[in-house]
Amino acid sequence: MNARLAFLSSLLLAVLLVAASPGTGVAEEEGNFAQKVLKNLTLGQPVVTDQLFVFPLLASTVPDALAVDSEPNVDTVDFDEPEFMRRRYDVLVKNGGDKPVLVLGGTVLEGGKRDRLIRRSILVGPKSDLEAAALPGSASSDIRKESEPFGVAEALAPTYLRKKALFGGSALTVTTFIARALDFREEDDDRKSIVAIAESPRLKQFCLPCHESMSSLPQPKAETGRVIGAIGGVRGRIQGLVLFGNNEIFISYFERFLKGATW
């Protein structure tokens, strides 16, 4: 590990320890929710390559299993355009399963009359529907005449797009990004969408060292999984932190998170 990464490791550990310490007048065994969560976490050994570094976040004990489907691309989940949507670009999430399903903010959908970017994470109950706030995921000139079935993209949106979407991004949030990143698109691909960029072999080749490094991450057995999050960075810059309730959900979403972080 070079000096810069060693410094980052120490800095991140210090941040976690400071955040976990109880505030003035708060008993050590008490504290707010964030203090309790952070107190339960430690940084694992980092995975470091030429372009990627990942610090696994380990729970001190094995978290209880959550009775949810950890990702939306299961046979029982469908996405649709609401007939009478409350907000423009909203997406109707239909869960036909027997367990709640998690849809993470930043999930990109290809389909409908226009691709979508889910603004914030939602939990859809069993045998129920929920209208999710979304942004357009394609250029205004890339609108279909007829609606098509939605599919879930293989990568989350880039970190900064997810932040903008979460905190009130406009319809121009994604379209502005697309206009700047279309050079990654395949020459014979006429889609002007975030999905076209994410699926491009050019982008995959550009980020290949990062994607290959994912195989080095700790993969504990599901019944004893303590890895519930990670701090990820690309080319010396921290891209974001992901933290989930248990190891199963973390593993389900981490590859999508990392692919989004490498844009």
Side-chain angles (χ1 to χ4, degrees):
M1 183 188 302
N2 60 34
R4 183 174 185 180
L5 289 177
F7 168 76
L8 282 173
S9 176
S10 300
L11 177 62
L12 290 171
L13 181 57
V15 169
L16 285 174
L17 291 175
V18 169
S21 62
T24 304
V26 179
E28 184 175 354
E29 64 273 10
E30 298 178 356
N32 60 38
F33 175 79
Q35 290 172 333
K36 292 178 181 178
V37 171
L38 291 173
K39 184 178 180 180
N40 188 41
L41 295 178
T42 58
L43 283 174
Q45 289 295 320
V47 176
V48 182
T49 69
D50 291 339
Q51 300 188 44
L52 168 73
F53 63 88
V54 176
F55 290 85
L57 294 173
L58 308 176
S60 60
T61 58
V62 178
D64 295 334
L66 300 179
V68 302
D69 282 328
S70 57
E71 52 185 331
N73 59 344
V74 293
D75 296 337
T76 56
V77 178
D78 291 316
F79 298 90
D80 201 357
E81 293 175 323
E83 184 176 359
F84 302 104
M85 61 181 63
R86 290 178 294 177
R87 297 167 296 263
R88 195 177 184 186
Y89 307 119
D90 276 7
V91 176
L92 187 65
V93 185
K94 304 177 180 179
N95 179 17
D98 297 324
K99 297 191 297 184
V101 63
L102 174 67
V103 182
L104 201 65
T107 295
V108 179
L109 304 174
E110 183 177 31
K113 290 188 176 180
R114 192 171 180 183
D115 295 351
R116 302 291 208 279
L117 168 64
I118 302 294
R119 279 182 176 268
R120 56 187 63 90
S121 301
I122 59 172
L123 193 64
V124 187
K127 308 294 183 183
S128 63
D129 304 342
L130 184 64
E131 190 170 325
L135 294 174
S138 62
S140 57
S141 60
D142 197 16
I143 299 177
R144 304 174 181 88
K145 293 182 179 180
E146 300 293 335
S147 182
E148 296 181 359
F150 279 109
V152 181
E154 62 182 22
L156 293 175
T159 305
Y160 57 91
L161 282 187
R162 298 203 308 275
K163 289 180 180 178
K164 288 185 176 181
L166 178 62
F167 297 107
S170 70
L172 296 176
T173 298
V174 181
T175 56
T176 302
F177 166 79
I178 292 171
R180 296 173 179 174
L182 275 181
D183 287 344
F184 280 111
R185 186 184 56 173
E186 285 289 88
E187 294 180 0
D188 58 350
D189 191 343
D190 58 359
R191 295 174 298 172
K192 297 178 181 179
S193 69
I194 193 172
V195 179
I197 301 167
E199 293 180 350
S200 170
R202 294 182 179 183
L203 183 66
K204 292 179 181 178
Q205 185 63 35
F206 182 70
C207 304
L208 187 61
C210 302
H211 297 171
E212 290 179 340
S213 299
M214 287 186 290
S215 61
S216 302
L217 287 174
Q219 296 290 326
K221 296 180 181 179
E223 62 269 19
T224 59
R226 292 175 53 221
V227 182
I228 63 171
I231 297 170
V234 178
R235 300 177 184 91
R237 298 183 62 184
I238 297 175
Q239 294 294 322
L241 179 149
V242 287
L243 187 64
F244 298 102
N246 64 11
N247 179 259
E248 179 184 359
I249 297 178
F250 166 72
I251 292 176
S252 296
Y253 270 104
F254 184 69
E255 184 171 351
R256 292 178 182 176
F257 160 79
L258 192 57
K259 286 182 178 179
T262 55
W263 292 27

